[in-house]
Amino acid sequence: MKIAKMTTLMGATLLLATATAALADDHGKDKGMAEQKNIVETAIAAGQFNTLVTAVQEAGLVETLSGEGPFTVFAPTDEAFAKIPEADLNALLADKEALTSVLTYHVVAGKVKAADVVNLSEAETVQGSTVDIKVEGDTVMIDNARVIQTDIMTSNGVIHVIDTVIMP
């Protein structure tokens, strides 16, 4: 199964990233190190974005999302990708054009922190479409996805974690 092989490769990369992070000093330097990592490196080290990282690799977007930026990424977790039926996910991973469209729909140009997001009703994505943004109390929704963690700062932007893969 294609996704299983990619997940195994990502596991090896994640193991290396975890081992590197474990060498960091426990006196607050981990946070500083995270800010020195780019979006892709941060996603790999987090351990909850294995499917997203695999998809970014399949789409050929690693170099772009590792580049200067800045970018804001609404990053679906592995659990978010698990909501997609396996056959549909494998078909998406095999279709580079569709995959690129879906992934770039999760990216906004610039560094948009949570304090900025809550003041927006929509944002234009790198894909070219806009995502709807709704704030209800403490809940922020990006299209049909709930933001579950905000402001993970990277060297080339910011990551906001979402619970659902959004589709253009």
Side-chain angles (χ1 to χ4, degrees):
M1 178 182 299
K2 187 174 187 177
I3 189 130
K5 289 179 185 174
M6 286 186 268
T7 302
T8 301
L9 290 173
M10 290 312 305
T13 304
L14 178 60
L15 181 62
L16 178 60
T18 303
T20 303
L23 295 175
D25 183 5
D26 287 337
H27 301 290
K29 292 185 181 177
D30 285 346
K31 186 174 183 179
M33 282 182 60
E35 291 184 24
Q36 297 304 312
K37 294 178 184 171
N38 64 44
I39 288 169
V40 175
E41 293 166 336
T42 301
I44 290 169
Q48 64 180 346
F49 304 112
N50 296 325
T51 307
L52 176 61
V53 172
T54 296
V56 167
Q57 290 174 331
E58 286 296 306
L61 295 173
V62 171
E63 187 174 327
T64 300
L65 291 176
S66 297
E68 188 174 321
F71 303 106
T72 298
V73 177
F74 296 103
T77 62
D78 291 333
E79 290 86 12
F81 276 98
K83 294 178 183 179
I84 301 172
E86 188 174 349
D88 294 344
L89 181 57
N90 285 334
L92 180 62
L93 289 170
D95 183 342
K96 187 174 180 176
E97 185 176 328
L99 183 60
T100 299
S101 179
V102 168
L103 292 174
T104 57
Y105 188 66
H106 288 79
V107 180
V108 173
K111 187 182 274 188
V112 185
K113 295 182 180 178
D116 302 317
V117 171
V118 298
N119 294 316
L120 301 173
S121 61
E122 64 182 23
E124 185 173 349
T125 68
V126 173
Q127 184 262 356
S129 300
T130 58
V131 291
D132 292 324
I133 301 170
K134 288 188 259 178
V135 180
E136 297 173 359
D138 290 339
T139 302
V140 177
M141 300 293 291
I142 306 298
D143 284 350
N144 62 331
R146 186 170 58 91
V147 178
I148 56 176
Q149 186 177 356
T150 61
D151 292 342
I152 299 171
M153 304 309 292
T154 70
S155 65
N156 64 339
V158 61
I159 298 171
H160 302 294
V161 183
I162 57 176
D163 70 349
T164 303
V165 177
I166 55 177
M167 300 290 181

